[in-house]
């Protein structure tokens, strides 16, 4: 079964679109997919109950066309099962793209490397996000804990301690394309402010990698909080995300921030240990927010 994994950006979203580095963790959850010969080309997506043919006009059909063209012409049916919330900052569309690409690879008898899979899935991502940095499709194909920078080979980060994360969903979805476009508009109006924020975030990414390598989780948590404040200054946070980050911190998180495009979607918190991570999940449950524990690296 082909698999594309979800991701959580721990530091650096949005700046990464402008060539700055970002640090992300692959998740255990994602999209599984399988391809077989068929009478005509079709993509089925569960549990959304969606059926797409490459001739349809919606974005999903365009994305399917974008990758379908890379493979033999004989008709194929791809069935994908999505176990990630869509529009929640966890890289659902990239995980779907990678799942579909890997299913088509297996069907066509091809064995590309993870980086080649990521490259193919970028065609899919471009349909949805216009100008993606490439972090989501890279994480969906490779997983692990990676330092990503557009145009450079991703660098695996060796954290000294296990990293216990809590991912909490605000329940409101947002469009990555819309949030990236909104930041671009702000940058047109006040380039100095936006570039200044991204430079500060880039320094946090650098310091964050060093903190993880040295096992300084408290410092890493502080960097997450600072990164969140800068993202909020770019109007990427919401009241719900603020409440959730606050709740996670009060429940013992070392740091918490929005993750992904913002404007809704998920937050990620760093717990000092596994037990605390479960406590944080429970406290988010008390404010009616779904959350789960994930381990990075
Ligand atoms: C989306 O997961 C991350 C963004 O930085 C967009 C991108 O990198 O393409 C918001």
């Amino acid at each position: 079964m082909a698999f594309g994994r979800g991701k959580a950006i721990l530091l650096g979203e949005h700046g990464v679109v402008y060539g700055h580095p970002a640090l992300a963790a692959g998740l255990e959850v994602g999209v599984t997919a399988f391809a077989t010969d068929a009478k005509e080309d079709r993509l089925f997506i569960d549990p959304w109950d969606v059926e797409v043919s490459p001739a349809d006009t919606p974005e999903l059909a365009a994305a399917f066309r974008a990758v379908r063209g890379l493979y033999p012409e004989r008709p194929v049916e791809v069935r994908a099962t999505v176990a990630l919330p869509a529009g929640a900052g966890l890289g659902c569309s990239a995980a779907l793209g990678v799942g579909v690409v890997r299913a088509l690879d297996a069907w066509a008898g091809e064995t590309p490397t993870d980086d080649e899979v990521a490259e193919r899935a970028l065609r899919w991502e471009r349909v949805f996000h216009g100008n993606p940095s490439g972090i989501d499709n890279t994480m969906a194909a490779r997983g692990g804990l990676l330092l990503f920078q557009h145009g450079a080979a991703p660098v695996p980060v060796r954290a000294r301690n296990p990293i216990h994360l809590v991912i909490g969903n605000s329940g409101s979805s947002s469009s990555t394309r819309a949030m990236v476009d909104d930041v671009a508009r702000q940058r047109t109006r006040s380039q100095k402010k936006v570039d200044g924020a991204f430079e500060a975030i880039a320094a946090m990414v650098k310091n964050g990698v060093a903190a993880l390598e040295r096992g300084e989780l408290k410092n890493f948590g502080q960097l997450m909080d600072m990164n969140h404040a800068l993202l909020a200054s770019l109007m990427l946070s919401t009241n719900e995300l603020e409440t959730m980050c606050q709740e996670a911190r009060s429940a013992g998180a070392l740091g918490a921030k929005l993750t992904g495009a913002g404007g809704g979607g998920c937050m990620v918190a760093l717990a000092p240990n596994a037990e605390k991570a479960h406590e944080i999940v429970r406290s988010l449950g008390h404010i009616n927010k779904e959350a789960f524990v994930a381990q990075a690296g």
Side-chain angles (χ1 to χ4, degrees):
M1 190 66 85
F3 185 57
R5 64 179 70 241
K7 62 90 187 64
I9 297 183
L10 304 185
L11 294 169
E13 48 274 270
H14 284 284
V16 70
V17 174
Y18 296 89
H20 293 293
L23 178 67
L27 301 177
E28 294 290 305
V29 276
V31 175
T32 48
F34 183 70
T36 46
D37 287 328
K39 286 209 183 81
E40 50 185 4
D41 283 348
R42 279 278 183 277
L43 167 63
F44 296 92
I45 307 175
D46 288 328
W48 301 344
D49 207 15
V50 165
E51 181 183 335
V52 181
S53 98
D56 292 346
T57 41
E59 277 184 332
L60 264 173
F64 188 37
R65 266 199 310 276
V67 294
R68 171 70 186 96
L70 299 168
Y71 297 92
E73 274 178 21
R74 71 180 200 274
V76 63
E77 182 181 297
V78 183
R79 288 189 173 266
T81 304
V82 178
L84 282 168
L90 301 184
C92 181
S93 74
L96 186 54
V98 164
V100 170
V101 162
R102 285 204 167 123
L104 289 169
D105 286 331
W107 166 76
E110 295 183 20
T111 51
T113 62
D114 286 349
D115 290 338
E116 284 161 349
V117 168
E119 195 54 45
R120 290 176 186 191
L122 187 59
R123 293 167 175 253
W124 172 286
E125 272 296 87
R126 283 208 179 100
V127 173
F128 293 99
H129 300 323
N131 179 29
S133 64
I135 191 169
D136 287 11
N137 51 304
T138 300
M139 292 309 299
R142 291 184 49 147
L145 185 61
L146 289 185
L147 178 66
F148 175 90
Q149 191 159 14
H150 183 77
V155 182
V157 174
R158 286 179 183 278
R160 194 164 176 153
N161 315 87
I163 304 170
H164 301 282
L165 302 172
V166 174
I167 315 282
N169 193 346
S170 71
S172 322
S173 60
S174 76
S175 148
T176 299
R177 184 195 283 268
M179 301 317 291
V180 168
D181 287 353
D182 188 63
V183 170
R185 272 193 296 276
Q186 291 185 54
R187 191 168 177 266
T188 310
R189 285 197 303 270
S190 358
Q191 188 168 348
K192 219 169 146 194
K193 175 193 157 193
V194 175
D195 285 351
F198 287 152
E199 270 153 36
I201 291 171
M204 289 170 194
V205 173
K206 213 172 134 214
N207 291 335
V209 169
L212 289 185
E213 286 171 345
R214 290 197 293 255
E216 296 166 357
L217 290 184
K218 228 171 148 179
N219 289 349
F220 190 80
Q222 280 168 1
L223 291 166
M224 288 171 78
D225 287 345
M226 288 193 269
N227 189 167
H228 178 78
L230 284 171
L231 292 169
S233 79
L234 297 173
M235 292 178 285
L236 294 164
S237 190
T238 63
N239 289 342
E240 279 174 319
L241 287 167
E242 290 304 314
T243 307
M244 292 170 77
C245 288
Q246 212 39 61
E247 183 69 29
R249 290 179 196 123
S250 309
L254 300 175
K257 61 181 276 294
L258 70 85
T259 185
C266 287
M267 58 127 245
V268 57
L270 175 71
N273 53 50
E275 205 186 336
K276 217 25 146 194
H278 289 285
E279 254 176 61
I280 296 166
V281 168
R282 278 195 294 278
S283 4
L284 289 167
H286 292 149
I287 57 164
N288 297 320
K289 297 298 174 198
E290 267 181 30
F292 64 95
V293 171
Q295 200 162 348

